[in-house]
Amino acid sequence: MSPFLSVKDLKVHFPTVDGVVKATDGMSFDLERGQTLGIVGESGSGKSVSSSAILGLHRGTNALVSGQILLDDTDLLQLSDEQMRLRRGRDVSMIFQDPLSAMHPYYTVGNQIAEAYLVHNDVGKKAAKARAVEMLDRVGIPQPDRRVDDYPHQFSGGMRQRAMIAMGLINDPGLLIADEPTTALDVTVQAQILDLLQDLQREFNSAVIIITHDLGVVAEMADDVLVMYAGRVVEYGPCKEILVHPEMPYTWGLLSSVPDVAGDTESRLIPIPGNPPSLLNPPSGCAFHPRCTHRDKVPGDLCRTETPELTAAHSGGNHIKRCHLVNPDEVYATEVLPEIAPDLVEEN
Amino acid sequence: MFAYIVRRSFAGFIMLIVMSFVTYMLFFAGPIHPERYACGKNCSPAQQEQTKKALGYDKPAFVQWTDFLKGTVQGRTYPEDEALQKAAPANVVECPAPCLGYSVVNTTTVNEEIKVTFPVSMSLALMAFIMWMVGGVLFGVIAALKKGTIIDRGVVGISLIFYAFPTFFVGLFLLKFLAIKWQVVPIPEYVSIADGGVGPWLQGLLLPSLTLALFFMAGYVRMTRAFVLESLGEDYLRTAKAKGLAPRRVLVKHSMRAALTPLVTMAGLDLAGLMGGAIITETVFNYFGLGKLAVDANQTFDLPTIVGLVLVLAAVVITANIIVDILYALIDPRVRVG
């Protein structure tokens, strides 16, 4: 039995005057219905580009997309533009980061939600509007029959994101991609939106891809985690494995940059030095090596000269990582963990 | 909304009064002696004084202005000197309220002058407006959708050519070749709908409005192209595509609606500005519109006509502004007031 969604060696390249920008360079993962995949990485690491490619939003641009995106055994990349359009919003849908700019300012919320239903269902406008009211009610908008005629600017940020979710789920899609769904929201509202997403996922039994740079969101939502750096997958595996036994220094960096409110104040917030690399002209070897504090532990300048392959992690299972370090689990336990969570080390 | 319109109209009304005052003051502040112009050469100082009185320029500027304001409310009778009225009763002209004055140069009331020329300019501006809006938006959208291709470059390039050529050149060119040499269309002549019906009216307007439209179209092609391209990059357009909408619906409902909003503002003001601003085109095609009237009035120091034109054109611009603002509120729910 093949998985519901299987992405194989997905590449999204943008030819430019200065050369080819490899926004996503070989991404593979599987996802079942009811499961959630968290894609993590800094800005410009290729998270959003890959998810747009799954939706086929690159079509009509100059992007070069290769690989396979198998949804229910159909390769989405082989479909014609029209076939893909008919699947968009019905089988695969997406909710975006900033719901204010992602909704058209001139149309009512109800109009925009109903529109998503009208394209894929042979119903009248009234039925579509009734369905929009129903969905608004489902995502927790009070007085949905009245608010359906409001414009996006009359909604609060959290309500707008709820409306976006209603729009994304109105056709009961098998796959929902949430591109940083909580980034533009207040912290208190973030938790509500995540809870709502989880409830709806259970109800609709959809597969969810959640794109974020917030490891807190990942810890709460994801079953699997995929860490991206400079367009490549650098670590991929079950969420618990990755959060407890990360084996790639970049993932360590991400974990070190998360503030721990509950923990004691002695734990330090350690930023990753440097900036994300240029995708046009990425560093040789491991793309992370210029910013990696552990590269000296690898003999022979290997990090600079040779790109590490994705290999099975020491913790086993489905956990894979892209790193030359011979004993990453030891390095993490002895050098990284004491820095970021001293209390955890003492307990052990 | 109603309160807003009333407030704006009131502000516009005050503005008109101020503008008439400024026009009077500017006219008399300048080294202009209309009485010398009217009296001609070899005019003795006494004759000049007499002419000044006959023209109604003998009173202080401020008094003339208040007389003018009174006239707009009560109406006036010309000439105002009762002795002159009795001497030549046949020459007495009644100017009922709202009287904008009497042009001694043209021997008719300003109201009458404007009544004759306004429809000409209005027809010309409206016709040109329709042509350039349809053409500009159409070609602008095409250029945006074909961005970077030969079609895009061709459309933008050709529109630039028309923009670069002065209207008197394009106008004369069209007149010379289309009307005179090849006789594709008759030589344009203004015929009002009342006189000749819709057909001749349209026929007469074809070349002059085309001349104006070609000039304005260039700007609108480029603006439409830019606004459509801008809207194509908006997040909500990505949302529309992600919903699975057909490309045509994405373009028409989501992109164009946003792109046309700024065009409405420009279009309203351009249309209003064209009412008195099509002087060259009116001259080339010998259309007696507001622009030509304004130029003539300035050359003959015809103050009543100048003031009347200033007020009428200002009123048109103010009205256009209010209409544009109302339209804006109708288009964009975010700017709706009260």
Side-chain angles (χ1 to χ4, degrees):
Chain A
M1 181 66 199
S2 50
F4 175 64
L5 172 71
S6 182
V7 173
K8 289 176 183 159
D9 199 27
L10 177 67
K11 291 182 181 170
V12 186
H13 291 181
F14 295 95
T16 67
V17 191
D18 303 316
V20 177
V21 174
K22 297 175 178 176
T24 306
D25 203 21
M27 178 197 217
S28 303
F29 64 84
D30 292 339
L31 189 62
E32 291 294 349
R33 270 182 175 269
Q35 299 275 303
T36 303
L37 171 73
I39 301 183
V40 198
E42 286 166 303
S43 313
S45 59
K47 299 168 294 181
S48 297
V49 168
S50 354
S51 49
S52 294
I54 295 174
L55 222 65
L57 289 179
H58 60 276
R59 284 164 190 257
T61 70
N62 62 348
L64 303 171
V65 183
S66 64
Q68 281 187 316
I69 301 169
L70 298 169
L71 186 77
D72 257 344
D73 290 325
T74 312
D75 189 350
L76 298 184
L77 293 179
Q78 301 300 325
L79 296 178
S80 72
D81 285 358
E82 183 63 11
Q83 284 170 323
M84 186 64 225
R85 173 177 85 75
L86 292 174
R87 284 174 167 262
R88 227 178 271 150
R90 193 189 65 193
D91 298 341
V92 192
S93 69
M94 190 154 175
I95 55 181
F96 297 99
Q97 179 173 348
D98 179 2
L100 183 59
S101 57
M103 293 187 110
H104 203 297
Y106 298 169
Y107 296 106
T108 62
V109 172
N111 180 324
Q112 298 185 54
I113 297 176
E115 192 180 29
Y117 192 65
L118 270 173
V119 219
H120 299 294
N121 297 279
D122 191 17
V123 293
K125 280 192 174 169
K126 263 193 179 164
K129 193 177 172 185
R131 173 88 178 131
V133 174
E134 193 186 314
M135 282 308 291
L136 282 178
D137 187 37
R138 184 61 201 83
V139 296
I141 303 276
Q143 293 179 288
D145 49 332
R146 208 167 55 79
R147 301 309 298 259
V148 74
D149 292 323
D150 277 0
Y151 288 91
H153 71 275
Q154 292 166 307
F155 271 36
S156 70
M159 277 164 68
R160 275 195 288 268
Q161 194 55 286
R162 283 170 194 270
M164 280 300 287
I165 293 173
M167 192 192 293
L169 290 176
I170 196 163
N171 292 309
D172 190 6
L175 173 63
L176 178 71
I177 302 172
D179 189 352
E180 311 225 9
T182 57
T183 307
L185 303 177
D186 288 346
V187 187
T188 45
V189 182
Q190 286 184 8
Q192 294 171 9
I193 295 292
L194 292 179
D195 283 347
L196 176 69
L197 269 177
Q198 267 179 330
D199 285 352
L200 292 168
Q201 179 181 19
R202 242 171 264 139
E203 187 180 324
F204 291 94
N205 192 33
S206 25
V208 172
I209 297 177
I210 189 156
I211 298 167
T212 180
H213 54 252
D214 185 346
L215 283 172
V217 172
V218 166
E220 169 139 349
M221 300 282 292
D223 300 296
D224 288 340
V225 178
L226 191 148
V227 183
M228 287 192 83
Y229 188 78
R232 291 223 175 94
V233 177
V234 292
E235 194 159 11
Y236 172 49
C239 183
K240 277 182 193 152
E241 278 296 318
I242 299 235
L243 292 183
V244 181
H245 302 291
E247 296 199 4
M248 162 76 197
Y250 177 61
T251 317
W252 302 345
L254 287 179
L255 285 167
S256 320
S257 336
V258 178
D260 180 8
V261 180
D264 63 82
T265 45
E266 276 169 44
S267 64
R268 288 170 54 204
L269 211 58
I270 308 159
I272 305 176
N275 290 311
S278 146
L279 293 174
L280 189 63
N281 197 3
S284 60
C286 172
F288 187 59
H289 87 263
R291 302 169 71 186
C292 184
T293 46
H294 303 278
R295 59 171 181 259
D296 298 338
K297 297 188 181 72
V298 177
D301 214 8
L302 209 56
C303 290
R304 197 176 59 78
T305 54
E306 205 170 303
T307 310
E309 293 299 317
L310 272 173
T311 50
H314 290 252
S315 62
N318 297 323
H319 183 180
I320 50 174
K321 47 103 207 233
R322 195 191 284 278
C323 185
H324 283 309
L325 278 177
V326 186
N327 52 347
D329 43 345
E330 276 174 43
V331 176
Y332 181 68
T334 56
E335 291 184 29
V336 184
L337 205 55
E339 283 277 346
I340 59 175
D343 45 335
L344 265 178
V345 180
E346 276 162 34
E347 278 170 32
N348 291 348
Chain B
M1 185 58 120
F2 182 72
Y4 174 77
I5 296 171
V6 169
R7 205 164 61 232
R8 288 287 306 267
S9 305
F10 183 72
F13 182 72
I14 299 289
M15 183 116 92
L16 289 181
I17 295 176
V18 172
M19 286 183 79
S20 67
F21 179 75
V22 171
T23 311
Y24 264 91
M25 292 308 136
L26 272 179
F27 185 82
F28 288 108
I32 304 164
H33 300 282
E35 69 278 6
R36 280 190 212 163
Y37 179 83
C39 190
K41 279 182 187 173
N42 306 325
C43 198
S44 69
Q47 282 171 316
Q48 272 188 26
E49 243 355 270
Q50 205 181 355
T51 319
K52 204 171 176 179
K53 197 171 179 196
L55 290 173
Y57 292 146
D58 53 335
K59 292 180 198 160
F62 186 79
V63 177
Q64 288 190 41
W65 176 65
T66 49
D67 283 350
F68 166 80
L69 285 189
K70 245 185 259 165
T72 59
V73 183
Q74 298 172 344
R76 286 167 94 169
T77 308
Y78 292 97
E80 288 181 292
D81 191 344
E82 283 185 20
L84 281 175
Q85 283 181 20
K86 275 183 193 147
N91 290 349
V92 171
V93 177
E94 286 293 335
C95 178
C99 180
L100 292 176
Y102 177 82
S103 165
V104 178
V105 181
N106 298 327
T107 61
T108 179
T109 59
V110 176
N111 301 43
E112 197 58 39
E113 287 179 317
I114 286 168
K115 207 188 277 173
V116 172
T117 50
F118 191 87
V120 179
S121 288
M122 189 73 184
S123 308
L124 196 56
L126 262 183
M127 193 65 170
F129 175 78
I130 293 168
M131 282 187 189
W132 93 61
M133 281 308 278
V134 172
V137 171
L138 189 70
F139 288 118
V141 171
I142 290 174
L145 292 182
K146 302 279 177 192
K147 186 193 167 202
T149 65
I150 189 109
I151 298 174
D152 174 27
R153 277 172 210 172
V155 167
V156 172
I158 291 171
S159 65
L160 251 183
I161 291 175
F162 284 116
Y163 193 70
F165 277 115
T167 42
F168 63 79
F169 178 81
V170 176
L172 282 177
F173 187 88
L174 292 177
L175 189 63
K176 163 82 183 158
F177 286 94
L178 288 184
I180 297 171
K181 198 165 181 194
W182 300 328
Q183 303 188 340
V184 185
V185 287
I187 292 171
E189 187 190 6
Y190 181 77
V191 185
S192 72
I193 297 182
D195 289 345
V198 177
W201 175 72
L202 282 176
Q203 206 170 43
L205 284 172
L206 187 66
L207 285 193
S209 47
L210 184 64
T211 307
L212 283 174
L214 283 174
F215 178 77
F216 277 92
M217 216 163 93
Y220 280 75
V221 164
R222 307 204 75 177
M223 279 189 296
T224 309
R225 181 180 177 276
F227 291 138
V228 168
L229 283 179
E230 191 189 315
S231 77
L232 287 178
E234 294 281 359
D235 283 356
Y236 52 76
L237 225 73
R238 190 178 52 178
T239 310
K241 281 184 213 152
K243 279 194 261 191
L245 299 185
R248 179 185 295 266
R249 196 173 168 82
V250 172
L251 178 73
V252 175
K253 184 178 168 185
H254 290 260
S255 168
M256 296 266 285
R257 173 84 187 265
L260 292 183
T261 313
L263 280 183
V264 168
T265 315
M266 323 250 347
L269 297 182
D270 275 347
L271 176 65
L274 205 54
M275 287 296 295
I279 302 155
I280 293 166
T281 311
E282 283 175 9
T283 309
V284 167
F285 290 95
N286 200 23
Y287 265 48
F288 198 63
L290 293 170
K292 206 151 175 287
L293 181 66
V295 173
D296 289 351
N298 274 289
Q299 282 169 348
T300 53
F301 312 117
D302 186 359
L303 178 64
T305 307
I306 294 172
V307 175
L309 279 171
V310 165
L311 291 191
V312 168
L313 292 176
V316 168
V317 172
I318 289 168
T319 313
N321 255 314
I322 296 175
I323 292 175
V324 161
D325 282 350
I326 294 169
L327 277 180
Y328 220 100
L330 289 178
I331 295 173
D332 189 343
R334 288 172 300 181
V335 298
R336 263 168 222 173
V337 281

Coordinates of all heavy atoms in Angstrom, one line a residue, chain B residues 31 71-72 88 94 127 189 197 248 254 267 281 323:
Chain B
P31 N -0.4 94.2 -15.5 CA -0.3 95.4 -16.2 C -1.3 95.3 -17.5 O -0.8 95.5 -18.6 CB 1.1 95.4 -16.6 CG 1.5 94.0 -16.7 CD 0.7 93.3 -15.7
G71 N -24.6 89.4 -8.9 CA -25.2 89.0 -10.2 C -25.5 87.5 -10.3 O -26.5 87.1 -10.9
T72 N -24.6 86.7 -9.7 CA -24.8 85.3 -9.7 C -26.1 84.9 -9.0 O -26.7 83.9 -9.2 CB -23.6 84.5 -9.2 OG1 -23.4 84.9 -7.8 CG2 -22.4 84.7 -10.0
A88 N -29.9 103.7 -25.6 CA -30.0 102.6 -26.6 C -30.7 101.4 -26.1 O -30.1 100.4 -25.7 CB -28.6 102.3 -27.1
E94 N -30.6 91.4 -20.9 CA -30.9 90.8 -19.6 C -30.1 89.6 -19.3 O -29.9 88.7 -20.2 CB -32.4 90.4 -19.5 CG -33.3 91.6 -19.4 CD -33.2 92.4 -18.1 OE1 -32.7 91.7 -17.1 OE2 -33.5 93.6 -18.1
M127 N -16.1 61.4 -25.4 CA -15.8 60.4 -26.5 C -14.3 59.9 -26.4 O -14.1 58.7 -26.4 CB -16.0 61.2 -27.8 CG -16.0 60.3 -29.0 SD -17.5 59.2 -28.9 CE -17.3 58.6 -30.5
E189 N -16.6 68.0 -38.2 CA -17.3 69.3 -37.9 C -18.2 69.0 -36.8 O -18.9 67.9 -36.8 CB -18.0 69.7 -39.2 CG -18.6 71.1 -39.0 CD -19.5 71.4 -40.2 OE1 -19.8 70.5 -41.0 OE2 -20.0 72.6 -40.3
G197 N -28.6 64.8 -34.9 CA -28.8 63.4 -34.5 C -27.5 62.8 -34.0 O -26.4 63.4 -34.2
R248 N -9.1 32.9 -16.2 CA -9.9 34.1 -16.6 C -10.5 34.7 -15.4 O -10.6 36.0 -15.2 CB -10.9 33.7 -17.6 CG -11.8 34.8 -18.1 CD -12.9 34.3 -19.0 NE -12.3 33.7 -20.2 CZ -12.2 34.4 -21.3 NH1 -12.6 35.7 -21.4 NH2 -11.7 33.9 -22.4
H254 N -10.3 39.0 -9.6 CA -9.4 39.3 -8.5 C -8.3 40.3 -8.9 O -8.1 41.2 -8.1 CB -8.8 38.0 -8.0 CG -9.8 37.1 -7.3 ND1 -9.8 37.0 -5.9 CD2 -10.7 36.3 -7.8 CE1 -10.8 36.2 -5.6 NE2 -11.4 35.7 -6.7
A267 N -8.6 58.6 -14.0 CA -9.5 58.8 -15.1 C -10.4 60.0 -14.9 O -10.6 60.8 -15.7 CB -10.3 57.5 -15.4
T281 N -6.2 70.5 -29.6 CA -7.1 69.7 -30.5 C -8.3 70.5 -31.0 O -8.6 70.4 -32.2 CB -7.6 68.5 -29.7 OG1 -6.4 67.9 -29.1 CG2 -8.2 67.4 -30.6
I323 N -17.1 62.9 -7.2 CA -17.6 61.6 -7.8 C -16.5 60.5 -7.7 O -16.9 59.4 -7.4 CB -18.0 61.8 -9.3 CG1 -19.2 62.7 -9.4 CG2 -18.2 60.5 -10.0 CD1 -19.6 63.1 -10.8

